[in-house]
Amino acid sequence: MTDATPQRATEPGVARDGPARRGRGGDEGEGMDYLVSLPRRVVTVYLPLLVFLFVLLFPFYWMVITTFKSNEELYDFKDFSPFWVVHPTLHNLHKLFFETHYPIWLWNTMVVSVVATFLSLFCAVCAGYAIERLRFKGSRLVGMAIFLAYLVPPSILFIPLSTMVFSYGLFDSKFALILTYPTFLIPFCTWLLMGYFRSIPYELEECALIDGATRLQILVKIILPLAVPGLISAGIFAFTLSWNEFIYALTFISSTTNKTVPVGVVTELVEGDVYHWGSLMAGALMGSLPVAVLYSFFVEYYVSSMTGAVKE
Amino acid sequence: MAAVDIVGVRKAFGATEVIHGVDIAIADGQFVVLVGPSGCGKSTLLRMLAGLESITDGTISIDGKVVNLVPPKERDIAMVFQNYALYPHMSVFDNMGFSLKLRGAPKAEIDRRVKEAAAILDLDRLLERFPRQLSGGQRQRVAMGRAIVRDPKVFLFDEPLSNLDAKLRVAMRTEIRALHQRLRSTTVYVTHDQIEAMTMADKIVVMHDGRVEQIGEPLELYDRPDNLFVAGFIGSPAMNFLPGRIEAGAGPRFVSDGGVSLPLVAPPGGVGSGIDGRPVVLGVRPEHLHLADEGAAAEVLVVEPTGSEIQVFTKLGGADVMAVFRERHRFRPGDRIRVAPLPGQIHLFDAESGRRLVP
């Protein structure tokens, strides 16, 4: 492993202890000391990580190279290696953006995801705060009930929901999705935020109460600013779930111009048994980029909300 | 500033009563310390005073007005919490000015009052910092500053020093006391540390198991504890107790269960008739034991010099007894010494009820 050397150089503790321990014949080191010797580190850390990375990233890689392949290259395994691109082309992207409704699907997905996310976050903040901090009778029960609602699988829930969507006249409109996505987003966000609110010391609220704040002021001026990492990670989750949602979008939307990316790509780029692989992969790639970008911006908040609590 | 009256206050959580009828009168400008072991109900009482807990029975009044149903923000009180409860996302200035801002005070006034309080507490240079950038002592001062800015009727402190190291605790103790002398505001201070109580209070309220054991000035509690609990709780090192009985006669004596016999110097007239054979507990403070030829024999177990004094753990008639001497005796473990209480410095308690028997 060539990358092991610079890594050890940046960790003086490891670099300093390493030879000394080995000098003492030191396989008897304690704790994580077994990571000191390079071969062991390769076997226990880097190799599993590499396998893991390969499994995770290979589909993404496949998606990228297929996007830039021409059809001849794509279907000819004898003259072209399937693992890289020889003559990259933008043909698939061009077809996707100019010969299908893909830009409209992207816009639809964006609108539905953003609105559903904010709607769900608002409800989840109110619900989570009330359940966690207002200590009303039956608050635990309500919390459990919300969680149970999350356990009902969408593949069952879409049947009664579709009846409701029809009777409200929402079928084949963005509202059909904006109003049904919260059925799974709110329970999820509520539970995530409940855990986060719990980590905020109670004294802060009591102190604010004595300082003269109302409940609403406490929520807005004390709790929400402190819960920003939790809000961001709940937001990312909600956004991702809405962005990738398939069943409701497939059921409640019929016209091409109202479709979202996941549904549009699958229904419009597969004609009978003909798969337009190039455009399909281009659609999938373009569809997954916004989420990837979103994650990369907020990854620190996201991690801190999963691992840390509020510190004074 | 205001007087605070607590009358017959009870608190129950469900079926469990934790405060069983407490009466405390706090005069305007007084520094009162509620002290007791953990779980005695002192913090709950303070929270009821602040309006953070409901009152099951009885009344609490501030400045003559019953506040049982008044929400915290209308009670005009300020509270300093054990872990300071500073808002982590606000600067020191914003922390201190938060209550004024909520009340809609003009910006200039907030600015003036925060700066005044900061000057008192030596926080001038820290106003732009965030709580995480402050040391424990500085946070403590910000928490107090937040209370001062509001100029409340009553200050409440909930074990504010217990998160500080020993040295800082002593310094902050003096600081809080000096602050009170300067502001002269009614203060209720909760602690489990009897030294804090002794050094800071105008008046101490000793609580135990949801009841008030004794209320009085620090030295009054030290000199004349009402019962065994107060006697054992106030004073460090703690008072020695010897269970035994009184033998009346020409000169009444105390005879411990271990056979130690001590003359009762004070006239036993107040003890009442029928004292002969009455089971009692004799209490004597370690510093009130002295070496005396006519004293009881004790075996030295452990010697602990602290510099200013020597603490000697002894076995006296089967009971563990500690003595403190200011002279530098050179005792060794195993030595036999004879100790006797100073005249008039013993306390007698009824063995059954634990109540103090006169004297």
Side-chain angles (χ1 to χ4, degrees), chain A residues 204 206-208 210-211 221, chain B residues 47 86-87 89 146 150:
Chain A
L204 289 181
E206 294 184 332
C207 194
I210 291 176
D211 271 349
K221 296 192 171 174
Chain B
R47 291 168 58 80
L86 301 180
Y87 310 124
H89 58 300
R146 201 162 55 172
R150 302 183 44 199

Side-chain angles (χ1 to χ4, degrees), chain A residues 135 201-214 217 221-223 225-226 310-312, chain B residues 47 50 52 72-73 77-79 81 83-90 98-99 102 132 139 146 150:
Chain A
R135 290 197 285 187
Y202 219 88
E203 285 86 356
L204 289 181
E205 283 184 56
E206 294 184 332
C207 194
L209 267 184
I210 291 176
D211 271 349
T214 61
Q217 282 172 322
K221 296 192 171 174
I222 307 289
I223 300 298
L226 292 177
V310 174
K311 293 185 186 88
E312 273 190 47
Chain B
R47 291 168 58 80
L52 298 173
K73 63 172 177 167
I77 44 158
M79 184 155 166
F81 289 83
N83 55 4
Y84 324 130
L86 301 180
Y87 310 124
H89 58 300
M90 293 186 197
F98 186 62
S99 59
L102 286 175
R132 62 176 176 277
R139 288 181 198 191
R146 201 162 55 172
R150 302 183 44 199

Side-chain angles (χ1 to χ4, degrees), chain B residues 79 265 276:
Chain B
M79 184 155 166
V265 183
D276 194 18

